[in-house]
């Protein structure tokens, strides 16, 4: 993977958040490609429970300052950056006081999903793409991890479909079993159609539950990875019948070779 550019877009990444299946793989896979000489960038949201001082986050003024429109509201985009110690890997953080200042990731103290998680996912997707455009850094592959990142493939295939910068970029989505109870805001589909994303291509998001968010991501990806051993049978069947190249679940001790070969199969 020498000199190949891979952009990792993840809901959660170790060491900035607690260890779980998504956050660990969102660290292990980029580290593996970095060690092979690939050029990588990682993007994640800057949740309020990330300790900025401990992890030495700092704002990148030249990348911050633009506004993103979400549901007809202008929302300021703040970009922060940090380096994973010892790995020389840069992590970019998408931030906005309205969406990400609260001291938790997805739910409040009662475990209830934040009512604006749908808008946070849209803002995150747009923020990543706009920042990559400003960096003028063209990824060969964008690899998506976690449901908060699930709108990135949708926006890439519709909202940003005419961006010449990404004309040859392939999108890979990892599908995990890690999910949430209930649904996001049922107005989510209207916020997507406000951005001229056709209702027909995201109609499953009339009920924006975990599985349907992943279905949208799968439908707009070029390659798929089953990243958990116990992904639901319905999602597994959907992946297998999608017509897209997919990598079956691979145990952690064997993932390096399997992921590398899968990436190579996605590239010209």
């Amino acid at each position: 993977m020498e000199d190949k550019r891979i952009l990792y877009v993840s809901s959660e990444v170790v060491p900035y958040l607690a260890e779980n299946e998504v956050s660990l793989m969102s660290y292990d896979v980029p580290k593996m490609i970095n060690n092979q000489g690939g050029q990588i960038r990682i993007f994640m949201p800057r949740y309020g429970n990330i300790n900025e001082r401990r992890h030495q986050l700092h704002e990148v003024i030249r990348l911050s300052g633009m506004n993103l429109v979400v549901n007809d509201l202008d929302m300021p985009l703040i970009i922060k950056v940090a380096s994973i110690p010892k790995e020389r890997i840069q992590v970019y953080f998408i931030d906005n006081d309205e969406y990400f200042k609260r001291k938790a990731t997805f739910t409040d103290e009662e475990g209830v999903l934040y009512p604006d998680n749908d808008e946070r996912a849209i803002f995150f997707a747009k923020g990543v793409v706009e920042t990559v455009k400003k960096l003028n850094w063209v990824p060969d592959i964008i690899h998506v991890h976690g449901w908060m990142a699930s709108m990135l493939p949708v926006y890439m295939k519709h909202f940003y479909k005419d961006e010449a910068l990404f004309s040859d970029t392939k999108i890979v989505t990892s599908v995990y079993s890690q999910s949430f109870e209930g649904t996001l805001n049922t107005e989510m589909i209207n916020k997507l159609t406000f951005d001229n994303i056709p209702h027909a291509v995201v109609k499953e998001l009339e009920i924006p539950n975990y599985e349907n968010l992943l279905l949208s991501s799968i439908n707009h990806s070029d390659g798929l990875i089953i990243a958990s051993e116990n992904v639901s049978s319905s999602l597994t069947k959907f992946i297998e019948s999608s017509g897209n190249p997919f990598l079956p679940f691979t145990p952690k001790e064997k993932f390096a070779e399997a992921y590398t070969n899968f990436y190579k199969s996605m590239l010209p």
Side-chain angles (χ1 to χ4, degrees):
M1 297 303 293
E2 187 83 33
D3 291 331
K4 294 298 180 191
R5 293 180 169 190
I6 304 186
L7 172 65
Y8 293 91
V9 183
S10 180
S11 299
E12 306 164 81
V13 183
V14 163
Y16 305 104
L17 292 170
E19 291 187 2
N20 60 42
E21 209 165 29
V22 175
S23 66
L24 283 166
M25 286 305 279
S26 300
Y27 168 80
D28 288 338
V29 183
K31 180 184 172 189
M32 179 261 296
I33 294 299
N34 195 47
N35 291 342
Q36 293 180 16
Q39 297 182 41
I40 65 160
R41 299 279 189 278
I42 303 175
F43 278 75
M44 68 177 291
R46 206 293 295 178
Y47 307 103
N49 55 345
I50 294 173
N51 188 316
E52 292 203 14
R53 186 175 296 172
R54 184 193 311 145
H55 295 297
Q56 299 180 334
L57 272 68
H58 59 271
E59 185 176 348
V60 186
I61 303 297
R62 71 183 177 89
L63 297 176
S64 302
M66 70 178 106
N67 280 8
L68 305 179
V69 177
V70 178
N71 199 29
D72 208 17
L73 287 173
D74 274 1
M75 307 302 285
L77 173 64
I78 301 164
I79 304 297
K80 293 176 179 169
V81 70
S83 292
I84 296 178
K86 301 177 191 163
E87 295 300 336
R88 292 173 311 172
I89 293 174
Q90 275 200 316
V91 181
Y92 290 83
F93 296 83
I94 300 294
D95 199 4
N96 168 275
D97 285 350
E98 184 78 23
Y99 289 139
F100 295 113
K101 196 149 194 171
R102 62 203 76 159
K103 295 289 184 187
T105 49
F106 311 127
T107 61
D108 63 20
E109 290 142 11
E110 310 295 318
V112 177
L113 286 167
Y114 288 124
D116 63 352
N117 273 339
D118 60 329
E119 293 185 12
R120 296 167 95 208
I122 292 168
F123 183 87
F124 180 47
K126 285 183 163 182
V128 169
V129 181
E130 294 296 345
T131 305
V132 173
K133 282 166 60 182
K134 267 201 170 181
L135 289 167
N136 200 28
W137 189 80
V138 185
D140 296 297
I141 291 172
I142 299 174
H143 190 167
V144 176
H145 298 259
W147 66 265
M148 184 62 86
S150 62
M151 289 300 99
L152 192 280
V154 175
Y155 272 78
M156 285 290 292
K157 298 292 187 185
H158 295 285
F159 193 79
Y160 293 105
K161 69 179 187 294
D162 296 325
E163 289 285 349
L165 195 69
F166 304 113
S167 57
D168 296 322
T169 299
K170 301 295 185 187
I171 303 172
V172 173
T173 291
S174 277
V175 179
Y176 295 87
S177 59
Q178 186 181 324
S179 69
F180 57 82
E181 294 296 317
T183 70
L184 303 190
N185 191 319
T186 52
E187 285 296 306
M188 182 176 190
I189 194 162
N190 297 327
K191 296 165 189 176
L192 295 171
T193 55
F194 175 82
D195 282 333
N196 295 317
I197 292 169
H199 187 284
V201 304
V202 285
K203 61 182 185 295
E204 61 275 1
L205 293 178
E206 289 172 3
I207 303 171
N209 58 21
Y210 174 77
E211 191 144 312
N212 287 341
L213 284 172
L214 266 292
L215 288 180
S216 288
S217 195
I218 290 164
N219 278 331
H220 292 90
S221 297
D222 303 300
L224 304 160
I225 294 175
I226 298 176
S228 298
E229 199 165 8
N230 50 346
V231 167
S232 74
S233 58
S234 53
L235 271 179
T236 302
K237 281 179 189 155
F238 190 79
I239 290 165
E240 290 171 350
S241 63
S242 68
N244 283 330
F246 74 93
L247 180 66
F249 175 71
T250 311
K252 190 149 190 183
E253 60 275 8
K254 295 181 181 171
F255 88 88
E257 185 180 1
Y259 277 47
T260 303
N261 289 338
F262 189 70
Y263 283 160
K264 286 177 178 173
S265 75
M266 299 299 300
L267 296 169

